[in-house]
């Protein structure tokens, strides 16, 4: 059984940085892709960043050049470095894995993946 546990959320002022980490278990091989999505109060879930097993990364436009996703298969962790945070980045952030199909390794599909963690709150004040 695949399990994901996020950590690293918190509260920062605009312009600050946070690093989220997701510890995963239950896979015998590296997942075809993994990613992060977020959900702000009253808003739809939004895919944020994705990395595939070849190390190729993709980002939603609003976080490109500010966020960096990385994966350590030896440690079984998925990290999201978030810089230049803005109030609109405030949300609960989830890591997710197990798309139904490999072609769903697209940022917009991350919220549909079969397995996700419990989420970690990120709050950015102006």
């Amino acid at each position: 059984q695949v399990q994901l546990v996020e950590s690293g959320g918190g509260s920062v002022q605009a312009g600050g940085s946070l690093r989220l980490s997701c510890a995963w278990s239950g896979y015998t091989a590296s997942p075809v892709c993994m990613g992060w999505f977020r959900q702000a109060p009253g808003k739809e879930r939004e895919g944020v960043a994705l990395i595939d097993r070849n190390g190729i990364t993709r980002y939603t436009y609003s976080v490109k050049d500010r966020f960096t996703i990385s994966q350590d298969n030896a440690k079984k962790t998925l990290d999201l470095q978030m810089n230049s945070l803005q109030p609109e980045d405030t949300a609960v952030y989830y890591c997710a894995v197990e798309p139904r199909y490999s072609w769903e390794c697209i940022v917009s599909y991350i919220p549909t993946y079969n397995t996700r963690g419990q989420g970690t709150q990120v709050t950015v004040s102006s």
Side-chain angles (χ1 to χ4, degrees):
Q1 182 179 358
V2 177
Q3 290 187 321
L4 305 173
V5 179
E6 301 100 336
S7 60
S11 298
V12 295
Q13 291 189 328
S17 298
L18 283 173
R19 187 176 183 90
L20 306 183
S21 187
C22 173
W24 53 274
S25 61
Y27 275 108
T28 56
S30 62
V32 61
C33 63
M34 301 181 70
W36 292 88
F37 71 93
R38 63 189 179 187
Q39 187 165 25
K43 294 189 176 181
E44 297 290 321
R45 297 173 184 173
E46 177 189 28
V48 174
L50 176 145
I51 186 167
D52 69 20
R53 62 165 45 133
N54 296 314
I56 295 174
T57 58
R58 300 180 179 90
Y59 301 90
T60 191
Y61 181 79
S62 65
V63 309
K64 198 174 181 182
D65 298 328
R66 299 190 296 124
F67 290 12
T68 302
I69 189 171
S70 60
Q71 182 177 347
D72 188 326
N73 288 328
K75 296 181 180 179
K76 295 187 178 180
T77 56
L78 178 73
D79 291 346
L80 185 67
Q81 176 66 42
M82 304 185 295
N83 299 328
S84 302
L85 284 161
Q86 300 300 317
E88 52 266 34
D89 295 316
T90 295
V92 179
Y93 284 71
Y94 301 85
C95 61
V97 68
E98 292 189 308
R100 292 167 296 176
Y101 309 101
S102 60
W103 60 260
E104 290 182 341
C105 287
I106 300 172
V107 172
S108 59
Y109 274 92
I110 298 172
T112 70
Y113 292 175
N114 288 330
T115 301
R116 68 181 190 194
Q118 81 286 355
T120 185
Q121 177 71 46
V122 171
T123 303
V124 185
S125 57
S126 58

